[in-house]
Amino acid sequence: KSGDGDGPKDGDEKRLEKKDTDAEGAGDTTLVPLGGGSGTLARDDVQPLEPQLLALPLPRRPLFPGQQQALQVTHPKIVQALLELMAKGAPPRLVTLLRRNGDASADEAEHAAEDLKGLDPFEALHHIGTRARIVQVQPVSDSMQPDAPPAGLHLLLHGQDLVRLDKVLSPGPPLLIQAKRHVAKKAPDAEAALAVMDADAEDAAAKNVKAHVNEIMRVLREIMKINAHFREHATMIHRGFQHLDSGDPTAIAHFAASLTTSEGEELMEVLISDDPLKKLQLSLNLLKKELDLSQLQQKISTQIEDKVSKTQREFFLREQLSMIKKELGEDKSDGSDELVAKYKKRLEGKEVPKD
């Protein structure tokens, strides 16, 4: 059983960190930071990848490089494999791969995402994913059997770099793979075109990228004005952009896309795109969809509030009118007037015997 959550993930990080503080000195239930637990990772993309990596399928949303994501794992074999991995002392790393929408067990994905149940990983998973470091881990203990091995693990992962599924060593669980770093594909004439690109063309390309980054920031500000969820994470969003290199459109696109509530397949388009400008465009489209959705939610909320306010206003006015009539002595009816009027209406046009 596992889940990867929706929306901005730094909130999950904050909640986990709070658990760490609140549970300090609570033994096996504490949140254990690994390698300092800061989540700040040095770039090691020049180092060779591990010959064998444990892969975790994600049910709904991919993990982006540079971002953090909370994940729960409960399959006994995978829990044991992760515990053994962490016991080795080296900074534990694994690979996250999003499950495809066409997966036959997609309805069960949220409850058993880490178990492919015999499906071919090359068919069930997207081939491009993120190699991640386990930043923090919290064991999930059985309250009835406190001395038993953990029933599951709450993980906080920090995305590091993009990798491509190369070979399945064991379908698992746990799923063990070999991976290669994902290298952006370039068009055959791309390098030649760059070589002859003049200063004006380079300047125009840079301005185009900057324009997209500025538009992303503008749309984010618009969303935060009307979306309470985004407002709650405003500090995290501002801090996230401050920590990014303004000259790295890929990192900005990844961060912007990770803030949205978009579907996994839409987020995968951003993740696997090789063109930085295309990534920015895709992320901007997702943010604009988020803005449209937020505006629609605000409109619906306003309409409901207006309707409720109108009904309440009419009720209070009637009550006030009734009280005023009573004070003036004009409202002496105990309800009989309405009853008489009702019968008079029924008798209209009919002959009533004098008796």
Side-chain angles (χ1 to χ4, degrees), residues 182-259:
H182 177 64
V183 180
K185 296 179 181 178
K186 294 182 179 180
D189 298 330
E191 293 187 4
L194 288 173
V196 299
M197 182 180 290
D198 57 24
D200 290 340
E202 288 183 2
D203 184 57
K207 287 181 178 179
N208 199 6
V209 168
K210 185 176 181 180
H212 278 80
V213 171
N214 290 341
E215 181 64 5
I216 284 175
M217 296 299 298
R218 185 195 70 79
V219 175
L220 269 174
R221 284 193 291 268
E222 290 296 316
I223 295 174
M224 283 189 282
K225 289 179 182 178
I226 59 177
N227 189 310
H229 183 64
F230 272 72
R231 282 199 302 273
E232 290 173 2
H233 294 85
T235 302
M236 178 273 291
I237 293 171
H238 289 306
R239 187 172 65 246
F241 274 106
Q242 288 173 357
H243 289 172
L244 291 176
D245 180 359
S246 60
D248 188 353
T250 295
I252 293 173
H254 286 170
F255 181 66
S258 71
L259 296 174

Side-chain angles (χ1 to χ4, degrees), residues 49-323:
L49 294 181
E50 297 84 342
Q52 175 178 290
L53 285 161
L54 188 151
L56 285 180
L58 300 180
R60 292 175 298 178
R61 294 171 60 90
L63 170 63
F64 286 90
Q67 304 308 310
Q68 293 189 340
Q69 185 166 311
L71 185 69
Q72 180 176 321
V73 177
T74 58
H75 195 289
K77 292 183 178 179
I78 301 178
V79 169
Q80 182 60 33
L82 287 169
L83 292 174
E84 292 174 359
L85 182 64
M86 291 182 287
K88 293 180 180 179
R93 289 181 174 82
L94 49 78
V95 171
T96 60
L97 298 166
L98 183 69
R99 295 182 76 133
R100 294 183 185 275
N101 276 348
D103 185 348
S105 60
D107 292 339
E108 304 174 2
E110 188 170 351
H111 303 288
E114 66 263 29
D115 187 358
L116 294 181
K117 299 185 182 299
L119 296 174
D120 182 356
F122 281 98
E123 296 293 331
L125 304 172
H126 285 277
H127 297 173
I128 296 178
T130 301
R131 188 172 67 119
R133 178 182 176 183
I134 303 176
V135 178
Q136 294 173 324
V137 60
Q138 180 183 9
V140 179
S141 301
D142 187 345
S143 58
M144 302 299 292
Q145 297 179 329
D147 296 330
L153 295 174
H154 287 297
L155 305 177
L156 182 62
L157 306 179
H158 187 110
Q160 193 161 339
D161 50 14
L162 289 182
V163 295
R164 178 182 291 274
L165 174 61
D166 184 51
K167 184 178 180 180
V168 174
L169 301 177
S170 171
L175 174 60
L176 301 177
I177 67 168
Q178 284 183 349
K180 293 182 178 179
R181 280 196 175 83
H182 177 64
V183 180
K185 296 179 181 178
K186 294 182 179 180
D189 298 330
E191 293 187 4
L194 288 173
V196 299
M197 182 180 290
D198 57 24
D200 290 340
E202 288 183 2
D203 184 57
K207 287 181 178 179
N208 199 6
V209 168
K210 185 176 181 180
H212 278 80
V213 171
N214 290 341
E215 181 64 5
I216 284 175
M217 296 299 298
R218 185 195 70 79
V219 175
L220 269 174
R221 284 193 291 268
E222 290 296 316
I223 295 174
M224 283 189 282
K225 289 179 182 178
I226 59 177
N227 189 310
H229 183 64
F230 272 72
R231 282 199 302 273
E232 290 173 2
H233 294 85
T235 302
M236 178 273 291
I237 293 171
H238 289 306
R239 187 172 65 246
F241 274 106
Q242 288 173 357
H243 289 172
L244 291 176
D245 180 359
S246 60
D248 188 353
T250 295
I252 293 173
H254 286 170
F255 181 66
S258 71
L259 296 174
T260 69
T261 57
S262 302
E263 297 293 330
E265 295 297 322
E266 294 177 309
L267 296 173
M268 278 302 300
E269 290 185 24
V270 179
L271 189 70
I272 66 178
S273 177
D274 293 330
D275 182 3
L277 180 58
K278 181 66 174 177
K279 279 182 181 286
L280 288 172
Q281 292 170 341
L282 290 169
S283 293
L284 182 57
N285 288 339
L286 295 183
L287 282 174
K288 288 188 174 181
K289 287 183 180 180
E290 198 76 31
L291 177 59
D292 291 341
L293 179 61
S294 298
Q295 290 172 336
L296 179 59
Q297 289 174 333
Q298 184 189 45
K299 180 180 178 181
I300 293 173
S301 178
T302 301
Q303 289 175 341
I304 293 174
E305 289 177 0
D306 289 345
K307 186 175 181 180
V308 171
S309 298
K310 181 180 179 182
T311 303
Q312 290 177 337
R313 182 170 176 272
E314 290 176 351
F315 172 78
F316 288 129
L317 287 174
R318 285 196 179 96
E319 288 295 308
Q320 289 175 351
L321 181 60
S322 176
M323 292 179 66

